[in-house]
Amino acid sequence: MKRHSTGKKFHRIKGIKKADLNAIISETPKQIEEFIESLSSQGSLIKKVKYAYFQTKNGLKFPGFIATEPIVPNDTLVTLPRETLLTTLQAFESPLKPMFLEYPQFFSPQFHSQWEYHQILAFLLYEYQRGTDSKWYYMIVNFPRDVDYAVFWNTQELESLKDENIIKSARKKYIGLLVTFQTLRYIADKFPNLYKPGIVTMENAIWIHTSIVTRCFGGQGLKYVTMVPFCELFNHECADVCYDLEQQDQSTRYNYEFMTKKLVQGQENDDELSITSSENSQFSEDDMSDSEFVTGEYDQYQEFNFDKFSENSIINFEENIKSFFKKNQSVKSDELIKMRKEFNIRLNIQQDVFQLAIDCKAYLFQTIDFGDNFSIFFLGQIFQQLDQLIQQFFSLERSSYQARAEIQQIKIDCNLYKNFWYSFQNEVLKRPIQQKYNVFAQKIVRKPERPIFSMEQILSQPVDRSCDYYTQAFQKETFKNLLMRTRDPFEKGAQVYFCYSRLSNRIMLLKYGMSLEYNKYDSTFLRVEFLKYIKNKVGIWIVHRFKLNKLKRFKLKHIVPPYELIVFCKLIYWNTNVHSVNTIFNIQDLQLERQALSLALEILIEQNSKFKETIEELEQLLLEKSLGYHQYFAVIYRLERLRIYRRNIHLINISIIVIDKLMKGVPYEKAIERTEFDLDFYETNRYILRKYFDQIRGALYQQK
C-alpha cells in the first residue's frame, strides 16, 4: 500500500528522481568553480552532482544540482570538514567580539531571540568589506542579489497571494527587519574601526540577511545557526536527502540499514519523511495568529446563585414558621426545634449537592481546553445537564441519592472525554500533549501579540555589566565532517534535492520566497463561525464569558482526512442523553458519523465556493510566459490551496458513499470500490482513508 501514499503519488506526477529533459547543463559559473576549488583545497569532497539550470513550467530558469551519474541510497554526495562551516561561535570569537559584549541587548540570547542571526549578519558584513582577504570570500560573493522572500515583496505581489493572513505576517516581519537593520547600523556607527563607510547600508543588510535566512542550517546535531557552503545550493523538495554529522571515530547518526530504508525507525506513515532535515526551520508562521475574539456580554443565561437561593429559603422558612405558629399556637418548642433542624439538614444537603455540581464544572475548566476546535460543544452540554439536574433536585424531582449518582456519572464521562481528547491530540492529530500540563491559551481571554520593539526600546534595556551573557550559550562542536546523504535514488540527469524540513507553502514563502506544486506537507486553513451551531445558552455564555475566538480554525492537508472537522461536526449532533462519550472520537454510530460527514461536506463546499478561481484556470496560468518568479509562486500557492480543498471534499464524499453502501448491506470490499470522486487517486485515497474505513467496518460489525 505504501507505494500508493500521497508522497509517492506526487513524486510520480512531478517526475521527482527522474531525468529532467529540460535541464540546461552548461559550464559552471567561474565564481562557483572557484568556490568549489577553494572547498576542495580544504578537504571537501563533492560526488555525483554538478551545477546546472532548471526551468519552471513557464520557462523561468533557476540553478540547482543535477545527477552526473545514477545515485543510490546511502550515497554521500558532499563531505565538508567542520572548519569550512560558518557558525555563530566563529562570529562571536571574531574582531567583532567587543561590539557584541558592549550591546548584549541586540546580540545575546538573554535579550533577543534572533541574536544568532544578528551576530552572523554583523560578521558577514564585516567580512564582506575585507574582500579576498576574508576566509569566507567565496561564500559571500556567491550570495545572489536577485533572490528574496515574501517579506520583501511589494504590495501588488503580496496581494497576488490572496491571503490576508500571510500578507499581515509578511508586513509585520518586514517592520521588524527594518528595526533590526536600523539598530545594527546605529551600533556599527559606534565602531568606526570595524566598519568602513558605506558597508552597513540597508541594501547590503537586506542582501546578506536574505542569504542567511534562506541558506542557513540548524538543528539535527548542529549547535548553532550554521552557514554550510555549497550545500546551500541544493533546492528544496520532499525528497529523502538529509545532512548527517560524521564524528572523529567515523561514526554517523544514521547507519547503513537506515539509509538504505531496510530499517525505518519509528516510521508509521510513508507520507512522513523519515528524516527531518532542518528541525529548527519550522517556525510559528504555519500557525500564524488570525484571531478575532468575541466581545460584549451575553445576558440570556444566568448562573445559579446558591447564596441567594439559601437566603430566600431561610426567609421563606421563617415566614412559614410565623404563619404556622399563628394558626397553631399550641405547638411546642420541641417541634419548632425539630422543624428548624430538618430545614437546616435539607439546606446543607442541597448545598452539598450544589457543591458537587460546581466541583464538576471546575474539573472541566481545569482539565479540558474549551478554547480548542470542538470541546465547547461538549462543555455546553455537560453544563446544561448539570444545571437541569440541580433544578430538578431543588424542585424535588430528583432525590439527593439520584442527584449524587448522576453527578458521579457525569464526572466519569468528563474523565473519559479528557482521556479520549488527549489520545486524539497525540495519536490522530500528532500534536504531542502531556496530561500533566494544563496550559490552555484560550482560557486567559486572548494571547497578547508579541510587540515589535523599536531600536530605542531594544537598546534601552538595562544591562548588568558584571554579568556574562554569552558563555553558557556556546559549546564547542567536535564532529569531524558534515555529510550530505541520500536515502532516495536519483537517475542520471535528475535534479538532486535536499529536504529543508516538512514545510508548508506558507512557511516556504515567508522563509524562502518559493512554493511547491503537489507539496505533500502543504496545508490550508478552514475557518468556521461556530456560534450558530451551539444549541444551548450556557455554551454561548461560556464563549462570551471567556472571550473566545469567533472562529474555529481547521488545518486541511493532503495526507490525512479532516479528522478534527469531523469531530467538530459530530459534536454538533452529539447528545449526552443518546450517545456515549466513546462515539465522539471513535466511530460507533454510523448514523451519527453520516450526519457529521454531511455537515463537514456542506461547510467545505461553502468555503470553497468563495474562491473565484478554479484549479484548471490556475494550472493554465502557470504556463504564462509573462509571469515573473514572484507571480509564479503566488499562483502555485493559490493553486495548492484549491487542490487541498478539492482533496478534502472528495475524501468526505467518498466516505459518505461508503457508509451509505454499508448501511444498505453492501459487503465492505464492494462498498470501498472506486467512486466518481476518486479520479486518478483511487489507490492514494484508499491509503489515506484506510484507518478511517477500518473504524467504519468495526462500527458496522458492532451494530450487527
Side-chain angles (χ1 to χ4, degrees):
M1 280 290 283
K2 282 189 175 182
R3 67 182 182 275
H4 298 305
S5 68
T6 303
K8 293 288 194 296
K9 179 68 174 180
F10 285 178
H11 274 201
R12 288 193 291 272
I13 291 173
K14 293 191 284 186
I16 301 296
K17 300 180 284 190
K18 300 293 184 182
D20 187 343
L21 301 180
N22 295 316
I24 302 170
I25 305 175
S26 57
E27 286 191 19
T28 303
K30 183 180 178 182
Q31 285 186 335
I32 296 289
E33 195 64 53
E34 291 174 344
F35 192 12
I36 294 172
E37 290 175 3
S38 172
L39 291 171
S40 298
S41 68
Q42 299 176 67
S44 301
L45 298 174
I46 299 168
K47 299 178 180 178
K48 296 189 176 183
V49 293
K50 176 180 172 59
Y51 193 86
Y53 288 94
F54 302 88
Q55 300 182 65
T56 62
K57 286 184 175 179
N58 69 337
L60 296 171
K61 295 180 176 60
F62 59 93
F65 287 123
I66 196 167
T68 57
E69 57 184 283
I71 292 173
V72 298
N74 198 42
D75 271 350
T76 296
L77 306 178
V78 181
T79 301
L80 293 170
R82 175 165 48 86
E83 293 73 23
T84 63
L85 312 181
L86 171 58
T87 69
T88 314
L89 179 58
Q90 289 167 299
F92 180 73
E93 295 295 349
S94 72
L96 301 183
K97 188 172 183 178
M99 183 175 75
F100 297 152
L101 294 174
E102 181 64 24
Y103 288 97
Q105 306 100 313
F106 190 65
F107 294 112
S108 78
Q110 281 80 358
F111 286 94
H112 210 296
S113 62
Q114 299 294 303
W115 68 282
E116 289 191 88
Y117 292 93
H118 295 170
Q119 285 198 17
I120 290 183
L121 174 59
F123 177 75
L124 285 173
L125 284 167
Y126 172 78
E127 291 295 316
Y128 165 61
Q129 72 184 346
R130 298 182 63 214
T132 55
D133 291 336
S134 171
K135 173 185 176 180
W136 311 103
Y137 169 75
Y138 290 110
M139 175 190 287
I140 295 170
V141 296
N142 280 290
F143 287 162
R145 288 186 178 268
D146 58 350
V147 171
D148 63 3
Y149 55 109
V151 172
F152 296 108
W153 289 12
N154 63 39
T155 299
Q156 184 178 1
E157 290 167 338
L158 283 175
E159 289 177 350
S160 69
L161 294 169
K162 298 185 179 180
D163 185 333
E164 287 301 318
N165 296 301
I166 194 173
I167 293 172
K168 178 182 175 182
S169 181
R171 286 173 173 162
K172 183 177 179 180
K173 286 179 176 295
Y174 179 72
I175 294 171
L177 288 174
L178 291 182
V179 172
T180 294
F181 302 151
Q182 179 190 19
T183 306
L184 179 59
R185 184 163 54 191
Y186 173 85
I187 294 173
D189 287 344
K190 300 291 184 181
F191 293 85
N193 59 314
L194 295 177
Y195 292 101
K196 299 174 184 177
I199 293 298
V200 185
T201 64
M202 183 67 71
E203 180 183 357
N204 285 340
I206 290 176
W207 163 52
I208 290 183
H209 169 83
T210 299
S211 294
I212 295 170
V213 169
T214 59
R215 294 176 171 226
C216 70
F217 285 51
Q220 202 161 304
L222 295 173
K223 299 183 186 300
Y224 314 107
V225 171
T226 303
M227 301 298 292
V228 181
F230 191 76
C231 292
E232 62 198 9
L233 300 175
F234 281 94
N235 290 316
H236 168 70
E237 248 296 354
C238 300
D240 229 342
V241 178
C242 64
Y243 65 84
D244 198 356
L245 301 181
E246 182 184 31
Q247 304 302 322
Q248 298 296 333
D249 61 359
Q250 278 72 54
S251 65
T252 57
R253 182 176 182 178
Y254 306 117
N255 60 24
Y256 173 82
E257 288 77 15
F258 183 75
M259 293 304 297
T260 55
K261 299 191 180 183
K262 293 179 180 177
L263 174 67
V264 183
Q265 299 170 350
Q267 184 181 10
E268 297 179 359
N269 186 341
D270 192 53
D271 278 321
E272 298 292 336
L273 284 182
S274 52
I275 297 172
T276 301
S277 304
S278 299
E279 294 169 0
N280 290 347
S281 67
Q282 299 190 58
F283 298 116
S284 59
E285 289 94 337
D286 201 41
D287 288 313
M288 61 185 71
S289 175
D290 56 350
S291 300
E292 184 180 350
F293 296 92
V294 170
T295 58
E297 303 299 327
Y298 182 76
D299 58 7
Q300 296 185 40
Y301 170 82
Q302 293 293 326
E303 289 185 280
F304 185 83
N305 189 329
F306 183 81
D307 291 338
K308 189 172 183 180
F309 168 82
S310 175
E311 182 182 337
N312 290 336
S313 296
I314 292 171
I315 292 172
N316 290 335
F317 174 76
E318 294 297 338
E319 289 177 351
N320 290 335
I321 287 291
K322 289 179 182 178
S323 175
F324 180 77
F325 268 95
K326 282 182 180 179
K327 295 178 181 179
N328 302 276
Q329 295 182 358
S330 61
V331 175
K332 297 179 180 179
S333 61
D334 289 348
E335 292 184 45
L336 175 61
I337 293 172
K338 181 181 178 183
M339 292 172 68
R340 287 189 182 280
K341 184 176 181 180
E342 289 175 350
F343 170 77
N344 288 330
I345 290 173
R346 185 168 64 252
L347 190 61
N348 287 336
I349 291 173
Q350 289 173 328
Q351 185 175 19
D352 288 345
V353 173
F354 175 75
Q355 190 60 48
L356 286 174
I358 292 298
D359 290 345
C360 189
K361 289 183 177 183
Y363 173 80
L364 284 169
F365 277 128
Q366 292 165 5
T367 59
I368 293 177
D369 180 8
F370 53 89
D372 68 7
N373 272 341
F374 45 77
S375 290
I376 185 62
F377 293 96
F378 177 78
L379 213 71
Q381 287 210 42
I382 295 298
F383 273 43
Q384 184 181 45
Q385 189 178 5
L386 288 168
D387 288 347
Q388 289 174 348
L389 180 60
I390 290 299
Q391 291 289 348
Q392 291 169 350
F393 170 62
F394 283 7
S395 62
L396 304 180
E397 296 176 47
R398 286 281 194 279
S399 68
S400 169
Y401 174 81
Q402 289 173 322
R404 292 173 190 273
E406 289 190 39
I407 291 173
Q408 182 60 34
Q409 184 57 51
I410 290 172
K411 279 189 174 181
I412 292 171
D413 288 343
C414 292
N415 199 52
L416 271 175
Y417 181 90
K418 181 194 72 171
N419 292 333
F420 280 125
W421 185 89
Y422 278 103
S423 177
F424 182 72
Q425 296 291 330
N426 284 282
E427 297 173 16
V428 178
L429 301 183
K430 307 298 183 185
R431 298 174 185 162
I433 297 175
Q434 297 183 39
Q435 293 200 33
K436 65 181 180 180
Y437 294 115
N438 182 29
V439 183
F440 297 136
Q442 288 276 19
K443 292 186 179 180
I444 54 172
V445 190
R446 69 175 64 196
K447 293 169 64 177
E449 289 191 16
R450 180 180 295 177
I452 298 175
F453 294 110
S454 66
M455 180 186 74
E456 291 76 14
Q457 289 173 312
I458 292 172
L459 298 182
S460 64
Q461 296 175 90
V463 174
D464 181 356
R465 293 299 172 184
S466 65
C467 179
D468 183 351
Y469 291 107
Y470 294 96
T471 300
Q472 291 185 349
F474 292 116
Q475 304 173 39
K476 287 195 175 181
E477 293 176 302
T478 58
F479 65 89
K480 182 180 180 181
N481 295 311
L482 182 143
L483 312 177
M484 188 65 74
R485 307 175 69 189
T486 179
R487 299 180 77 230
D488 276 342
F490 292 86
E491 290 182 0
K492 179 181 178 179
Q495 182 175 181
V496 182
Y497 300 97
F498 161 50
C499 181
Y500 299 172
S501 187
R502 299 169 187 173
L503 303 172
S504 69
N505 281 346
R506 272 184 310 283
I507 294 182
M508 275 192 276
L509 283 166
L510 288 167
K511 188 168 170 59
Y512 302 106
M514 57 170 284
S515 55
L516 288 179
E517 264 199 281
Y518 296 106
N519 173 13
K520 69 180 179 182
Y521 293 121
D522 197 18
S523 60
T524 191
F525 288 109
L526 167 69
R527 295 167 176 85
V528 179
E529 294 181 0
F530 69 97
L531 271 173
K532 62 183 178 182
Y533 295 112
I534 299 180
K535 301 182 180 70
N536 51 69
K537 293 180 179 180
V538 63
I540 300 173
W541 174 80
I542 292 171
V543 173
H544 285 79
R545 169 67 178 80
F546 291 94
K547 301 293 184 286
L548 301 185
N549 199 331
K550 288 182 179 179
L551 304 174
K552 296 301 182 187
R553 192 179 62 162
F554 303 94
K555 184 179 282 190
L556 305 178
K557 299 181 179 181
H558 278 298
I559 60 177
V560 292
Y563 288 121
E564 200 171 18
L565 176 63
I566 294 172
V567 170
F568 167 85
C569 293
K570 199 186 298 189
L571 269 165
I572 291 172
Y573 295 108
W574 184 81
N575 188 312
T576 55
N577 299 316
V578 178
H579 306 109
S580 69
V581 175
N582 297 7
T583 60
I584 298 173
F585 298 104
N586 299 299
I587 302 175
Q588 294 188 340
D589 185 326
L590 290 183
Q591 193 62 46
L592 177 63
E593 200 71 24
R594 176 66 166 78
Q595 285 181 292
L597 289 170
S598 296
L599 179 57
L601 181 62
E602 179 185 320
I603 292 171
L604 282 166
I605 290 175
E606 180 184 359
Q607 181 60 37
N608 190 54
S609 67
K610 296 178 182 179
F611 298 117
K612 304 304 180 184
E613 302 166 305
T614 67
I615 290 175
E616 292 70 26
E617 289 170 349
L618 293 177
E619 287 175 338
Q620 193 62 34
L621 186 57
L622 281 180
L623 305 177
E624 286 291 330
K625 300 290 185 182
S626 60
L627 291 181
Y629 293 99
H630 293 175
Q631 293 88 348
Y632 185 84
F633 291 129
V635 171
I636 288 179
Y637 180 75
R638 304 196 313 261
L639 171 60
E640 288 308 301
R641 180 171 55 189
L642 291 179
R643 282 175 173 162
I644 291 172
Y645 265 93
R646 174 183 283 183
R647 166 62 63 85
N648 280 266
I649 289 171
H650 285 177
L651 291 175
I652 295 293
N653 269 312
I654 293 165
S655 300
I656 290 173
I657 290 172
V658 169
I659 286 180
D660 285 346
K661 287 182 177 179
L662 290 173
M663 289 196 297
K664 291 177 181 178
V666 177
Y668 177 78
E669 295 302 330
K670 292 285 292 181
I672 65 170
E673 288 181 349
R674 185 185 297 272
T675 73
E676 62 182 295
F677 300 102
D678 280 302
L679 305 177
D680 295 330
F681 284 82
Y682 169 71
E683 292 87 357
T684 301
N685 288 338
R686 293 306 173 277
Y687 180 81
I688 294 170
L689 289 166
R690 67 196 186 283
K691 293 181 180 178
Y692 189 68
F693 282 179
D694 284 345
Q695 277 205 42
I696 291 176
R697 178 163 54 176
L700 180 69
Y701 290 150
Q702 283 181 1
Q703 288 185 3
K704 288 182 178 179

